[in-house]
Amino acid sequence: MSFVLLIVKALAYFGLPSYLLHRASQSSPLARYYLCNILYLCTVGFCSSVAFFSALPLYLLGRRYDVNFIFARTFYPIFSRLSGLRIIVEGKEHLQVRPCVFIGNHQSMMDVFLVAAVIPKGTRVMSKKSLKYMPFFGQFLQAGGAVFVDRGNSAVAVQSLQAAGEEIRSITLRFGFSQKGHAGLPLVPVVFENYWNMYHKGIFNAGTLKVRVLPPISTEGLTTAGVGELSVCVREQMLQVLREISDPSAPPPPHDEDDTKR
């Protein structure tokens, strides 16, 4: 009986919201927009709780950063089913590069959904400091070892990133890489399609989005003087790919000063 009850509860969890979304989309795109956003936040909260409670056993197993993977692999399938959104990932083989720094183009809070479709095991994330205090989500981020960046204080932000970099290097050394071999971690750009046509204020449509993972970019031997040139080069490469995988009719998303580049 308990097994049957579990199945019924699962069907109710997925079936009722899906039915409501279907009805809302028929009656009003605006109603669908608000309902999808509510479901999005509720699903983030639920999956954050699941990931948080997995933190202790994973920590004891020496796999703390897999907390982020647990969240991702719980959140993506649930919300994909509820919203009708699907992600196609190109260049998956580049996600296996280790150690590295993943960088991506930021558009809105929906990026969490796209990141959840691609984030590999053992990945540590960077987040703006204000999310540290968001109920459920903030506690999950802390449990997963997130690097919180205070954008209002550049000196503190740099210190946080430097500390994270040193930790990555120390982990790399423990796994047998030489000091010379990991002097510069490669950058792996991850480009998310411009999804403005599918999600912006008042609009939340179902559909398929593309994500393309680019080949790693070496930073071996990079000096401070070369950082600016590398940044421009990587940005131009990502913009070119963004144009290739995005709907050409989609306008560029509005710039938000409160947004961060991940």
Side-chain angles (χ1 to χ4, degrees), residues 91-157:
K92 288 183 180 181
E93 65 275 11
H94 302 309
L95 293 172
Q96 307 307 316
V97 176
R98 290 292 189 280
C100 71
V101 176
F102 294 107
I103 56 176
N105 54 309
H106 175 50
Q107 299 179 60
S108 74
M109 71 172 188
M110 274 295 294
D111 290 345
V112 176
F113 176 70
L114 280 82
V115 170
V118 299
I119 189 170
K121 290 183 178 180
T123 302
R124 191 176 188 182
V125 302
M126 185 181 77
S127 171
K128 59 183 180 181
K129 187 177 179 180
S130 59
L131 291 180
K132 184 177 182 179
Y133 308 104
M134 181 177 175
F136 303 109
F137 191 62
Q139 289 70 51
F140 140 67
L141 288 174
Q142 293 179 68
V147 178
F148 293 101
V149 178
D150 184 357
R151 292 172 302 166
N153 189 325
S154 58
V156 174

Side-chain angles (χ1 to χ4, degrees), residues 14-15 22 27 37 54 86 104 107 109 116 121 123 145 154 162-163 168 172 175 190 200 206 211 226 229 233 238:
F14 288 110
H22 176 69
S27 60
N37 273 287
S54 72
R86 302 290 185 272
Q107 299 179 60
M109 71 172 188
K121 290 183 178 180
T123 302
S154 58
Q162 288 176 338
I168 292 172
T172 304
F175 279 88
V190 182
H200 61 270
V211 176
E229 182 179 353
C233 179
M238 294 179 69

Side-chain angles (χ1 to χ4, degrees), residues 31-106:
R32 175 184 168 83
Y33 168 78
Y34 284 112
L35 182 55
C36 275
N37 273 287
I38 291 172
L39 289 173
Y40 184 88
L41 294 175
C42 289
T43 307
V44 165
F46 170 74
C47 296
S48 295
S49 300
V50 172
F52 178 80
F53 286 112
S54 72
L56 180 58
L58 287 174
Y59 179 82
L60 294 175
L61 291 171
R63 297 166 54 189
R64 180 185 182 186
Y65 302 147
D66 280 354
V67 171
N68 301 308
F69 184 78
I70 295 294
F71 170 85
R73 291 303 180 267
T74 307
F75 177 64
Y76 175 75
I78 291 178
F79 191 70
S80 177
R81 176 72 178 273
L82 292 175
S83 65
L85 284 171
R86 302 290 185 272
I87 306 296
I88 296 177
V89 183
E90 303 174 354
K92 288 183 180 181
E93 65 275 11
H94 302 309
L95 293 172
Q96 307 307 316
V97 176
R98 290 292 189 280
C100 71
V101 176
F102 294 107
I103 56 176
N105 54 309
H106 175 50

